Amino acid sequence: MATVRDGTIREPSCRSATTLTGYAESGDAAARVAATQPATTAVDAGQAHCRGELRRWYVVRAAVQVAVILLVNRAGDLLLQQRSSSSARFPGAWGVPGGHCEPGEAPEQTAVRELWEEAGLRPDGAVVLFERHVDAWTDGLIEHCFAAGTVAVQDDVIRDDGGAMIFVPAPEAVAGREFTPGTAEVLKRFLRSPEYARLAGGVPEPYDGDREDDERFAGWDYLGDRYVCPLADEHRTCHRRANLLLAQERADALRAMANDGHRCAFVRLMQWYVDGDRVDELHAIAAAGDDRATVTLYQYLQHRHRAADLETALGRYTESVPRLRIWLAAHIGGDPGRADEALELLSPLLDHDWYAQEARQVAYRIQVGAGRVPPPAGRKR
């Protein structure tokens, strides 16, 4: 297996190394062709002193490619994957997430897709190519090794195929494990590299998410301002984690973050409910006394129902969510002919510990609109 890194081709059994560019400059015709072609389609040519003689090889890079990802979390731990004991190839061996590139798929896309499919994780920021391996003795496999960082911890890993997927501290990553062929050598080089040091240093890629409001939620009280979180650090760590939990659809974990004061998590939790029409879950949080969820439920119903149907939709929740009763009364009370009906709805809340003031204000506006009481001084009816 030849290793291509920073333009250098190395053969494990050879003591020297050279580059395609060097071959091209020395007049090797095939190398001149190879050096001008894209990395995934080139004809590679090389030579190296190996076992005391000059060896020459040519490789036609076929369309068969795989991509793997070296994922490092904030603690510097590396994500390793253990194949299940029933795996057809290398059962029980360790490796890293990855797989074959699908037709038309860039290797970087493959690495990200495989990470999601195999671990339920997504990288933070840029995914960079660490090195590329070319099988120098066949026209077969090209392996692209990418590196990326993540805010994920072990509890965020989702794995259901019988194997293991764990974050391992760097000093424990290689020793004492049986790896798939070539993986241990890649890990050793990676753990000694500046790229690993950068990813493990706790300074992530700049956070580009949530810079602008989602246009779908313009006008919503709690869904249109995703970028504000009072507990966010300079790297927006909580935003990154909330994004991951939203992608994983882990509502309980988002709710726990929201209960700790992370507005970014609450916004994503509400977004998940709204986008998925999960009105029952949204209602459950509102009924438990979360006023932000009550506002979001009301706005959800407004957007999902025409004015003629909104009354029926609100009526389903007025017993369990008192504030919706107030808003339903305001909706009905807009018709002076239904003032009594609206006031009857408000009656149980006029002495409520939390909602009395708002209920009385709405009741007063309804009576003003019906001509039963004079409007405030200086205001014409």
Side-chain angles (χ1 to χ4, degrees), residues 105-119:
E105 186 178 48
E108 179 181 347
Q109 295 173 322
T110 300
V112 173
R113 174 180 57 79
E114 290 285 347
L115 177 64
W116 175 252
E117 293 177 355
E118 296 179 354

Side-chain angles (χ1 to χ4, degrees), residues 220 255 266 269-271 273-274 277-288 290 292-301 321:
W220 293 62
R255 188 179 299 115
F266 174 82
L269 179 63
M270 294 298 102
Q271 180 189 344
Y273 289 144
V274 168
D277 292 319
R278 298 175 176 88
V279 65
D280 290 339
E281 291 94 330
L282 185 56
H283 166 244
I285 298 179
D290 191 313
R292 300 169 302 174
T294 300
V295 172
T296 303
L297 175 60
Y298 178 66
Q299 292 175 329
Y300 168 84
L301 296 174
V321 187

Side-chain angles (χ1 to χ4, degrees), residues 145-326:
C145 299
F146 293 92
T150 181
V151 295
V153 295
Q154 187 60 47
D155 288 344
D156 297 326
V157 177
I158 299 174
R159 177 86 166 155
D160 60 5
D161 69 351
M165 187 79 72
I166 59 175
F167 281 103
V168 180
E172 304 171 14
V174 179
R177 301 179 194 276
E178 180 182 349
F179 286 93
T180 54
T183 300
E185 290 73 20
V186 173
L187 295 181
K188 290 175 183 178
R189 288 193 295 271
F190 177 62
L191 293 173
R192 293 194 300 265
S193 71
E195 188 61 33
Y196 169 76
R198 182 185 68 81
L199 293 172
V203 180
E205 294 286 330
Y207 182 67
D208 293 327
D210 305 343
R211 292 289 175 90
E212 297 180 359
D213 292 346
D214 191 325
E215 293 182 358
R216 293 175 303 159
F217 301 118
W220 293 62
D221 283 27
Y222 292 103
L223 300 190
D225 188 9
R226 300 184 64 199
Y227 200 61
V228 178
C229 182
L231 301 181
D233 61 20
E234 61 178 320
H235 303 303
R236 304 290 180 186
T237 301
C238 59
H239 286 248
R240 298 170 194 259
R241 179 165 172 75
N243 286 338
L244 173 61
L245 297 179
L246 175 61
Q248 294 178 328
E249 299 188 350
R250 292 173 59 195
D252 290 343
L254 281 171
R255 188 179 299 115
M257 278 188 69
N259 290 340
D260 288 337
H262 288 281
R263 175 171 172 147
C264 60
F266 174 82
V267 167
R268 286 156 180 78
L269 179 63
M270 294 298 102
Q271 180 189 344
W272 185 64
Y273 289 144
V274 168
D275 279 345
D277 292 319
R278 298 175 176 88
V279 65
D280 290 339
E281 291 94 330
L282 185 56
H283 166 244
I285 298 179
D290 191 313
D291 202 51
R292 300 169 302 174
T294 300
V295 172
T296 303
L297 175 60
Y298 178 66
Q299 292 175 329
Y300 168 84
L301 296 174
Q302 282 183 310
H303 282 78
R304 289 295 188 274
H305 299 278
R306 294 174 299 179
D309 301 326
L310 181 60
E311 179 180 334
T312 301
L314 286 170
R316 298 191 186 102
Y317 306 107
T318 54
E319 292 299 324
S320 55
V321 187
R323 201 173 184 196
L324 290 184
R325 178 184 287 266
I326 298 175

